[in-house]
Amino acid sequence: MTGTSGTDRTAGAMGDGEQGGDEITVVHLMRHGEVHNPEGVLYGRRPGYHLSDLGRKMADQVAEHLAERDVTHVVASPLERAQETAAPIAGAHGLEIATDPRLIEAANVFEGKTFGVGDGALKKPGNWKYLTNPFRPSWGEPYLEQVVRMMAALGAARDAARGHEAVAVSHQLPIWIVRSFAERRRLWHDPRKRQCTLASLTSFTFHGDKIISVGYSEPARDLVPSHLLAGAKPTKGKSKAFGA
């Protein structure tokens, strides 16, 4: 997989399993585009959050980027922003969008609250009890549970597109966690350093059932606000940097 800011790393987490055949299959885990979120809340799994106009442009740009690829399966999280991101990609290939609830955002006790720097939920002592264990993490869905469901979703998308390519639209944290697992990195991390910007593609290449490499690209990077790029320093009033 090539593209702006593209990377590719050999992955070893599935290296001891059966290959399940000789075909090469690619599953692109895509993060949805920008969400309309003027209140700057952490929306998590809450319904009713749709793509912004910019987010729709991001989705269209990625659809154009993938238009000549051998995509035979498009699947998305049930949340509106993921379904809306998947729509132009499915349309470009004449496909229906499948829905997989395993691709949903990670649960988080701070859903519906602001989560900025110097304001919001972290300023309230009553919320500090949720911050006691960053390794699990104590504020939301355990990382290992995310790995289990995301690996299952990856496998289902691979099976649906054997010998071809699939696009699975999900959310930042689950994508980053399953990539970390595949690349044998620790699961706990600094959220500001996730390499999973809006509308990015984290691409898993399978030889049969075995992951042989993981690539990353940002086909809509030119549309992403600078404070939402990987490694950007959070700014007060721009808590969407912690969006999903």
Side-chain angles (χ1 to χ4, degrees):
M1 184 70 193
T2 58
T4 305
S5 299
T7 62
D8 193 287
R9 293 183 58 180
T10 299
M14 300 294 286
D16 297 328
E18 295 297 324
Q19 292 185 359
D22 293 328
E23 71 279 341
I24 298 296
T25 308
V26 180
V27 179
H28 305 285
L29 275 183
M30 180 180 177
R31 185 183 174 195
H32 61 77
E34 185 190 61
V35 174
H36 180 66
N37 181 21
E39 298 85 8
V41 301
L42 195 154
Y43 32 81
R45 293 181 174 181
R46 291 191 164 205
Y49 284 89
H50 298 267
L51 293 183
S52 65
D53 290 341
L54 180 60
R56 294 181 187 277
K57 290 179 182 178
M58 292 176 182
D60 288 341
Q61 188 157 308
V62 177
E64 182 178 352
H65 174 78
L66 294 172
E68 301 303 317
R69 306 289 297 218
D70 184 24
V71 175
T72 62
H73 181 65
V74 177
V75 61
S77 155
L79 295 173
E80 295 98 331
R81 57 192 184 271
Q83 295 280 323
E84 292 165 0
T85 299
I89 299 170
H93 293 274
L95 300 169
E96 296 293 328
I97 302 171
T99 299
D100 190 334
R102 294 171 296 195
L103 293 170
I104 200 167
E105 174 59 297
N108 193 307
V109 298
F110 295 111
E111 284 182 13
K113 301 175 182 178
T114 58
F115 205 71
V117 176
D119 61 0
L122 294 185
K123 190 176 181 181
K124 300 176 181 179
N127 290 326
W128 296 350
K129 62 186 177 183
Y130 298 118
L131 306 175
T132 57
N133 185 356
F135 307 106
R136 185 178 186 266
S138 52
W139 54 83
E141 181 183 10
Y143 292 139
L144 287 178
E145 290 184 11
Q146 294 180 54
V147 168
V148 170
R149 66 176 172 86
M150 289 297 289
M151 287 298 296
L154 269 177
R158 174 204 63 212
D159 291 345
R162 289 273 183 185
H164 305 279
E165 299 185 28
V167 178
V169 183
S170 186
H171 307 268
Q172 185 190 59
L173 179 55
I175 294 172
W176 180 248
I177 289 299
V178 76
R179 176 182 173 183
S180 296
F181 174 77
E183 294 179 338
R184 295 183 173 178
R185 290 196 305 272
R186 69 190 186 198
L187 300 183
W188 60 275
H189 60 282
D190 182 342
R192 298 167 298 180
K193 296 182 179 180
R194 296 172 190 157
Q195 189 183 42
C196 187
T197 196
L198 292 166
S200 61
L201 298 174
T202 300
S203 304
F204 295 76
T205 299
F206 291 84
H207 179 205
D209 289 349
K210 175 186 175 183
I211 296 174
I212 58 173
S213 68
V214 181
Y216 176 79
S217 60
E218 298 174 352
R221 182 182 176 88
D222 60 307
L223 299 177
V224 179
S226 61
H227 72 281
L228 296 181
L229 293 171
K233 183 178 180 180
T235 304
K236 185 175 182 179
K238 293 185 176 181
S239 56
K240 287 186 292 181
F242 296 97

